[in-house]
Amino acid sequence: MPVRPAPVAPAAGTPGDPPAAAVPPPVGPAPRRRLPLVLAAVLVLMLVAVGLVVVRPGPVGRWLGDAPATPAATGTVESAPVPVLVAADSGAPAPSTDGLRTTLEPLIDDTALGGRVNVAVADALTGEMLFDRGGGEGTVPASVTKLVTAVTVLTARGPGHRIPTRAVAGAQPGEVVLVGGGDPTLAAGPKGFYPGAANLTDLADQVRKALGGVAPTRVVVDSSRYSGPVYEPGWDDDIPTGGYGGAITALMLDGARTNPKAGPGWAERVAEPDLAAGRAFAKLLGVPVGTVRKGTAPPAPTGTTASEPVGGGGPGAELGAVHSPPLIRLVDIMISDSDNIVAEALARQVALARDRPASFAGAASAMAEVVSELGLPVAGLDLADGSGLSRNNLISPALLTELLALAASPDRPELAGIFGGLPVAGWSGTLRDRYGATPGTAAGAGVVRAKTGTLTRVHAIAGVVTTAEGRLLTFAVLTDDVPPDGMEPARAALDRIAAALAGCGCR
């Protein structure tokens, strides 16, 4: 993933990875099935349900069990991609614990991984833990936190939920209140940073129509949907200006970027995203930008609902609304690009769904509650944010492996959306430039699919891998005691562990 260098080398975030009571999982033998076909089926059903079509290149489609696509008559026929992510086989033998121990322990003991390395490997089909070395210990996870954010928001809100941005009549004639609902992808016009995002141009058109002959006079910004600090107290000091994070407000444009044409990863962010959005909206309405101020929307008139625009009626009357892409698309963006701003917005959606304050603390509490309800292990879990930028986060490798196995299960089809954005080793996302060139990692290229995490001294990887014999495993390796200058050796050591899983039968 191409990333622009930050003006100052940040302590958190690196070019490869931006800094970053339910039924318990099955314990007995599961019915024999082709796991990728299950994932494909539930993912297709989910996309149809929300009216969203996401077309991914052939390698990922084949891993999910898709049939070869037939290009439309008007489409462009692409050359055949390099085969990766071969289908797993539920009938393939699972590795043994002894076999995994023999293969993995020498790699885990690599001094490049520092003084604390915690690892878990599980069978994706049955959820059985196959290898555990400190797997239950809470470890600083960095951006692999986003896997927890993804599963909890898809559980709490559902893949088809869309986040609204509304405009309502203010207290004074011609006053328009722009009400943020927490959509981080909102754009000023049709060409924002995030494809398919809602835009303020459409909202301004709705407002003018609703007002009829009444000219807008002033814009008020209401970002009260979120509460608490805009920066998490556990973030490193350079996060607010380091280009990978920013102020988290309920109203923003293009993930708070100053320039919507900036590439993924590092980008300069505005200090007050809500006011910046309000000024852009004022410009579209022909209202003096200098009059934009923060405030709160009047309550809706009695007898109306949010879906009933009533034109120039009394204060609080809705004048228009636009909506974000479905959450399944936002989850995909969050994981594939390791987008920290989107992650924090999704975490707050979990809080809102559970009637908690839409703050860092409220989101963390709500996410932990959902994890517990899913029957996942909460020992060692301590959340502070949804992106993984905070060093106060702790997650166990065992939780991550069980979470991934649950997402692959047909019992929770709405969770399969997390697999769409997982980077592929040597092919996409934060793993595009990893595997292959580094000694001992070639076996993982095109076979490992995982989320990475990086902060200074913290390096992590968690995802799925198909063994040489065709068995699909979930794995997580977290280390939070690496020397500050040891990023590249630590990454290589992590990649060798995942590649060893891909290259062995380990029986």
Side-chain angles (χ1 to χ4, degrees), residues 109-123:
D109 290 335
D110 190 331
T111 57
L113 292 173
R116 202 166 88 105
V117 189
N118 295 322
V119 184
V121 180
D123 188 341

Side-chain angles (χ1 to χ4, degrees), residues 210-470:
L211 289 176
V214 178
T217 58
R218 184 169 66 175
V219 168
V220 175
V221 170
D222 183 350
S223 57
S224 61
R225 189 72 163 159
Y226 290 178
S227 59
V230 296
Y231 305 115
E232 206 283 315
W235 286 3
D236 290 347
D237 291 341
D238 62 350
I239 292 296
T241 57
Y244 288 110
I248 307 302
T249 58
L251 180 65
M252 63 173 61
L253 299 178
D254 303 305
R257 289 168 173 80
T258 59
N259 179 9
K261 295 181 180 179
W266 184 91
E268 185 179 356
R269 316 282 172 160
V270 297
E272 296 182 289
D274 46 2
L275 281 178
R279 292 176 184 128
F281 193 51
K283 186 175 181 180
L284 290 169
L285 290 175
V287 173
V289 171
T291 65
V292 175
R293 65 176 179 83
K294 294 184 180 182
T296 56
T302 303
T304 66
T305 68
S307 61
E308 297 176 354
V310 290
E318 186 173 293
L319 305 175
V322 292
H323 296 80
S324 74
L327 286 191
I328 187 174
R329 175 60 184 141
L330 301 189
V331 165
D332 189 77
I333 291 169
M334 172 185 67
I335 294 177
S336 62
D337 294 342
S338 201
D339 193 311
N340 296 308
I341 304 296
V342 171
E344 297 302 345
L346 292 180
R348 280 160 176 73
Q349 288 300 310
V350 183
L352 292 170
R354 293 307 177 97
D355 295 321
R356 303 285 179 83
S359 61
F360 285 106
S365 175
M367 288 166 62
E369 178 180 83
V370 174
V371 168
S372 178
E373 291 173 357
L374 289 172
L376 298 169
V378 295
L381 177 66
D382 192 358
L383 294 174
D385 68 14
S387 64
L389 288 175
S390 177
R391 294 179 182 273
N392 292 330
N393 289 315
L394 293 174
I395 299 176
S396 72
L399 167 57
L400 293 167
T401 57
E402 290 195 28
L403 176 149
L404 288 160
L406 180 65
S409 166
D411 298 329
R412 304 295 308 212
E414 74 279 10
L415 304 184
I418 73 169
F419 294 105
L422 278 181
V424 180
W427 187 69
S428 65
T430 55
L431 293 180
R432 179 188 301 273
D433 299 322
R434 294 168 62 170
Y435 293 83
T438 302
T441 66
V447 182
V448 172
R449 185 162 202 183
K451 181 73 195 76
T452 58
T454 304
L455 294 168
T456 302
R457 300 185 68 88
V458 176
H459 300 277
I461 188 168
V464 294
V465 58
T466 305
T467 69
E469 294 185 330

